[in-house]
Amino acid sequence: MRAVVLAAGKGTRMKSARPKVFHELCGRPMLWWVLRALREARIEEIIVVAAPEMREGMEAFSDTQVVIQQEQLGTGHATRVALEALPPRSRGKVLVTNADMPLVTADIFLAAIEALGNDAMSLVTVSCGPALPSFGRVVRKGARVERIVEVRDATPDELNIEEKNAGIYVADETKLRTALARLKNDNAQHEYYLTDIVELLSKADERINATPHAPMLDVLGVNDRIALAHARTWMNIRLCEQHMRDGVTIIDPVTTYLEPELEIGCDTVIYPNTSIGRLSTIGEGCTIGPNTRLSNARIGNRTEIRESVILDSRLGDDVHVGPFAHVRGESVLENEVRIGNFVELKNARLAKGAKAAHLSYIGDAEIGEEANIGAGTITCNFDGKRKHRTKIGKRALIGSNSSLVAPLEIGDDALTGAGSVVTKNVGDGERVAGNPARPLPKKSP
Ligand code: UD1
Ligand code: CA
């Protein structure tokens, strides 16, 4: 089975510089979702018909074949362009689908394939009352499908037909090729409609099977940004429901924004207004949110993240973050680390049990086990030209409002006094204070 995916349309109604099928919902382009459903249906040979300006964007879809439709002359023309680029196969079958239906599922494709049997063509239809008003109407004579009429060519009576064309077709390849060669564009839009194939085949006494599909949302065609938003809402509910089935508590799926390809462990609880994306993984028994954003984050077990942003970073087990922390730039928080209110971490590594509880910027730094970073501590990592690193030893105590001027090393069990401006390395067990910081007298035994 080969599949032709029609993706070259102008998408005029999106009013966008970006090609329509590259518009995203839940973090992936519309086209990505359709291709995923085709793969789930085990269709391996996939040909995407794209417009010339999509050439670059198609590089992200490296495992599909791309055929360029130079001019967008209609869905029938697009299908012909695709088939002309492929060697003909006698007795082959081909599935043709619109690419602007991101909610489509593998089951719908499989049902259409099954419905073809040995006939000329099968197509998926939805009966949805007045909904989906822009869809082509399925005209039957008795039970027999006779033709599809597009809205702009329909009579008022035809417009009342409730059975509509979903935009998914399976056909005998030879018969499809022959019929495509005979398509005309004598219609309201002067386009070569793929849907006219139905009438051509039916007039040639070929059998056409319509497979009615019940949930109309599954075949929602996204032509404008309103439909895109509806599709996103529904896709997000699907993603949330899948994780809930797998043991994740989602307090409010409506305000929990997920992407595909996430891993979330059981008994993790996600509070409202939280978005999780870019291949993040979360362990078991975590508390995430409310008001939290995770992107490319790897989180261990029993970790709590409240009202915070975690980007491109890794957190271990039993870590506590927030409220109002910003962790980014490949930071690593080992087990039992605590990051508190208004703390920003960038490319920082905090070893087991280290703490930075309040109001800090820690960038390009390595913090030892059980070290405690006092409120208001800043790593001054930028000298105006270059970034420098700060290293802080195990159990070190950094006093409130310390400015640590990098490059800098502070030893194990060292201490800096409140308000210190530390410009020189501090040895193990050494205590410094002042601006610039100077060693304090040794504690009398
Ligand atoms: C199409 C169907 C309509 C159906 C509806 C379902 C036709 C003529 N009409 O209408 O019966 O109810 O889908 O959603 O097919 N495309 C190309 N090249 C082109 C034109 C379009 O690749 O020259 C692609 C588009 O990118 C899109 C798909 O074909 O993915 C459908 O085109 P679109 O213009 O959205 O058709 P509709 O008017 O929605
Ligand atoms: Ca459409």
Side-chain angles (χ1 to χ4, degrees), residues 35 45 102 142 184 194 226 238 283 299 310 349 436:
L35 295 176
E45 193 185 358
K184 297 208 173 65
L194 177 57
I226 298 169
R238 273 191 198 167
I299 314 289
I310 315 282
R349 184 180 190 103

PDB file of all heavy atoms in Angstrom, residues 35 45 102 142 184 194 226 238 283 299 310 349 436:
ATOM      1  N   LEU A  35       1.155  12.029   9.207  1.00  0.00           N
ATOM      2  CA  LEU A  35       2.164  11.026   8.874  1.00  0.00           C
ATOM      3  C   LEU A  35       2.263   9.982   9.976  1.00  0.00           C
ATOM      4  O   LEU A  35       2.428   8.787   9.719  1.00  0.00           O
ATOM      5  CB  LEU A  35       3.527  11.692   8.633  1.00  0.00           C
ATOM      6  CG  LEU A  35       3.577  12.624   7.420  1.00  0.00           C
ATOM      7  CD1 LEU A  35       4.939  13.304   7.329  1.00  0.00           C
ATOM      8  CD2 LEU A  35       3.274  11.875   6.129  1.00  0.00           C
ATOM      9  N   GLU A  45       5.181   3.169   2.308  1.00  0.00           N
ATOM     10  CA  GLU A  45       5.579   4.075   1.221  1.00  0.00           C
ATOM     11  C   GLU A  45       4.683   5.306   1.273  1.00  0.00           C
ATOM     12  O   GLU A  45       3.498   5.239   0.974  1.00  0.00           O
ATOM     13  CB  GLU A  45       5.466   3.361  -0.126  1.00  0.00           C
ATOM     14  CG  GLU A  45       6.158   4.159  -1.222  1.00  0.00           C
ATOM     15  CD  GLU A  45       5.978   3.545  -2.618  1.00  0.00           C
ATOM     16  OE1 GLU A  45       5.341   2.482  -2.744  1.00  0.00           O
ATOM     17  OE2 GLU A  45       6.469   4.173  -3.573  1.00  0.00           O
ATOM     18  N   PRO A 102      -5.310  16.940  11.161  1.00  0.00           N
ATOM     19  CA  PRO A 102      -4.360  16.401  12.141  1.00  0.00           C
ATOM     20  C   PRO A 102      -4.953  15.398  13.127  1.00  0.00           C
ATOM     21  O   PRO A 102      -4.219  14.636  13.737  1.00  0.00           O
ATOM     22  CB  PRO A 102      -3.880  17.648  12.888  1.00  0.00           C
ATOM     23  CG  PRO A 102      -4.944  18.671  12.661  1.00  0.00           C
ATOM     24  CD  PRO A 102      -5.495  18.386  11.305  1.00  0.00           C
ATOM     25  N   GLY A 142     -30.106   6.243  -4.574  1.00  0.00           N
ATOM     26  CA  GLY A 142     -30.376   5.067  -3.753  1.00  0.00           C
ATOM     27  C   GLY A 142     -29.206   4.902  -2.800  1.00  0.00           C
ATOM     28  O   GLY A 142     -28.770   5.866  -2.178  1.00  0.00           O
ATOM     29  N   LYS A 184     -11.356  17.335 -15.498  1.00  0.00           N
ATOM     30  CA  LYS A 184     -11.449  18.684 -16.087  1.00  0.00           C
ATOM     31  C   LYS A 184     -11.570  19.701 -14.958  1.00  0.00           C
ATOM     32  O   LYS A 184     -11.904  19.340 -13.836  1.00  0.00           O
ATOM     33  CB  LYS A 184     -12.696  18.750 -16.974  1.00  0.00           C
ATOM     34  CG  LYS A 184     -12.668  17.795 -18.162  1.00  0.00           C
ATOM     35  CD  LYS A 184     -13.508  18.375 -19.299  1.00  0.00           C
ATOM     36  CE  LYS A 184     -13.397  17.559 -20.569  1.00  0.00           C
ATOM     37  NZ  LYS A 184     -13.954  16.194 -20.407  1.00  0.00           N
ATOM     38  N   LEU A 194     -10.020  16.276  -7.067  1.00  0.00           N
ATOM     39  CA  LEU A 194      -9.896  14.831  -6.889  1.00  0.00           C
ATOM     40  C   LEU A 194     -11.280  14.202  -6.713  1.00  0.00           C
ATOM     41  O   LEU A 194     -11.545  13.079  -7.139  1.00  0.00           O
ATOM     42  CB  LEU A 194      -9.020  14.536  -5.658  1.00  0.00           C
ATOM     43  CG  LEU A 194      -8.839  13.072  -5.280  1.00  0.00           C
ATOM     44  CD1 LEU A 194      -8.270  12.263  -6.432  1.00  0.00           C
ATOM     45  CD2 LEU A 194      -7.941  12.949  -4.059  1.00  0.00           C
ATOM     46  N   ILE A 226      -9.163  29.279  13.347  1.00  0.00           N
ATOM     47  CA  ILE A 226     -10.220  28.910  14.308  1.00  0.00           C
ATOM     48  C   ILE A 226     -10.284  27.385  14.410  1.00  0.00           C
ATOM     49  O   ILE A 226     -10.264  26.815  15.501  1.00  0.00           O
ATOM     50  CB  ILE A 226     -11.572  29.510  13.858  1.00  0.00           C
ATOM     51  CG1 ILE A 226     -11.461  31.035  13.851  1.00  0.00           C
ATOM     52  CG2 ILE A 226     -12.703  29.038  14.761  1.00  0.00           C
ATOM     53  CD1 ILE A 226     -12.617  31.746  13.175  1.00  0.00           C
ATOM     54  N   ARG A 238      -6.895  14.429  24.067  1.00  0.00           N
ATOM     55  CA  ARG A 238      -6.468  13.051  23.773  1.00  0.00           C
ATOM     56  C   ARG A 238      -5.157  12.715  24.484  1.00  0.00           C
ATOM     57  O   ARG A 238      -4.999  11.644  25.040  1.00  0.00           O
ATOM     58  CB  ARG A 238      -6.217  12.895  22.271  1.00  0.00           C
ATOM     59  CG  ARG A 238      -7.427  12.530  21.492  1.00  0.00           C
ATOM     60  CD  ARG A 238      -6.932  12.141  20.100  1.00  0.00           C
ATOM     61  NE  ARG A 238      -8.013  12.180  19.151  1.00  0.00           N
ATOM     62  CZ  ARG A 238      -7.839  12.133  17.840  1.00  0.00           C
ATOM     63  NH1 ARG A 238      -6.617  12.072  17.338  1.00  0.00           N
ATOM     64  NH2 ARG A 238      -8.873  12.153  17.041  1.00  0.00           N
ATOM     65  N   GLY A 283       9.464  11.410  36.183  1.00  0.00           N
ATOM     66  CA  GLY A 283       9.397  10.125  36.897  1.00  0.00           C
ATOM     67  C   GLY A 283       8.078   9.930  37.623  1.00  0.00           C
ATOM     68  O   GLY A 283       7.081  10.589  37.342  1.00  0.00           O
ATOM     69  N   ILE A 299      13.166  14.697  34.560  1.00  0.00           N
ATOM     70  CA  ILE A 299      12.877  14.836  35.984  1.00  0.00           C
ATOM     71  C   ILE A 299      12.817  13.439  36.596  1.00  0.00           C
ATOM     72  O   ILE A 299      12.179  12.548  36.033  1.00  0.00           O
ATOM     73  CB  ILE A 299      11.488  15.524  36.181  1.00  0.00           C
ATOM     74  CG1 ILE A 299      11.317  16.745  35.267  1.00  0.00           C
ATOM     75  CG2 ILE A 299      11.234  15.832  37.640  1.00  0.00           C
ATOM     76  CD1 ILE A 299      12.130  17.936  35.625  1.00  0.00           C
ATOM     77  N   ILE A 310      11.432  25.170  33.648  1.00  0.00           N
ATOM     78  CA  ILE A 310      12.604  24.289  33.548  1.00  0.00           C
ATOM     79  C   ILE A 310      12.860  24.028  32.068  1.00  0.00           C
ATOM     80  O   ILE A 310      12.022  23.429  31.382  1.00  0.00           O
ATOM     81  CB  ILE A 310      12.351  22.911  34.224  1.00  0.00           C
ATOM     82  CG1 ILE A 310      11.683  23.047  35.582  1.00  0.00           C
ATOM     83  CG2 ILE A 310      13.625  22.079  34.259  1.00  0.00           C
ATOM     84  CD1 ILE A 310      12.590  23.453  36.687  1.00  0.00           C
ATOM     85  N   ARG A 349      25.558  23.089  37.927  1.00  0.00           N
ATOM     86  CA  ARG A 349      25.396  21.729  38.437  1.00  0.00           C
ATOM     87  C   ARG A 349      25.383  21.795  39.945  1.00  0.00           C
ATOM     88  O   ARG A 349      26.333  22.275  40.564  1.00  0.00           O
ATOM     89  CB  ARG A 349      26.558  20.875  37.947  1.00  0.00           C
ATOM     90  CG  ARG A 349      26.403  19.449  38.362  1.00  0.00           C
ATOM     91  CD  ARG A 349      27.540  18.559  37.884  1.00  0.00           C
ATOM     92  NE  ARG A 349      27.107  17.201  38.150  1.00  0.00           N
ATOM     93  CZ  ARG A 349      26.652  16.366  37.226  1.00  0.00           C
ATOM     94  NH1 ARG A 349      26.641  16.730  35.968  1.00  0.00           N
ATOM     95  NH2 ARG A 349      26.226  15.174  37.567  1.00  0.00           N
ATOM     96  N   PRO A 436      36.769  44.269  48.878  1.00  0.00           N
ATOM     97  CA  PRO A 436      36.803  42.877  48.441  1.00  0.00           C
ATOM     98  C   PRO A 436      36.983  41.939  49.642  1.00  0.00           C
ATOM     99  O   PRO A 436      37.536  42.359  50.664  1.00  0.00           O
ATOM    100  CB  PRO A 436      38.013  42.842  47.520  1.00  0.00           C
ATOM    101  CG  PRO A 436      38.896  43.935  48.012  1.00  0.00           C
ATOM    102  CD  PRO A 436      38.003  45.001  48.552  1.00  0.00           C
TER     103      PRO A 436
END
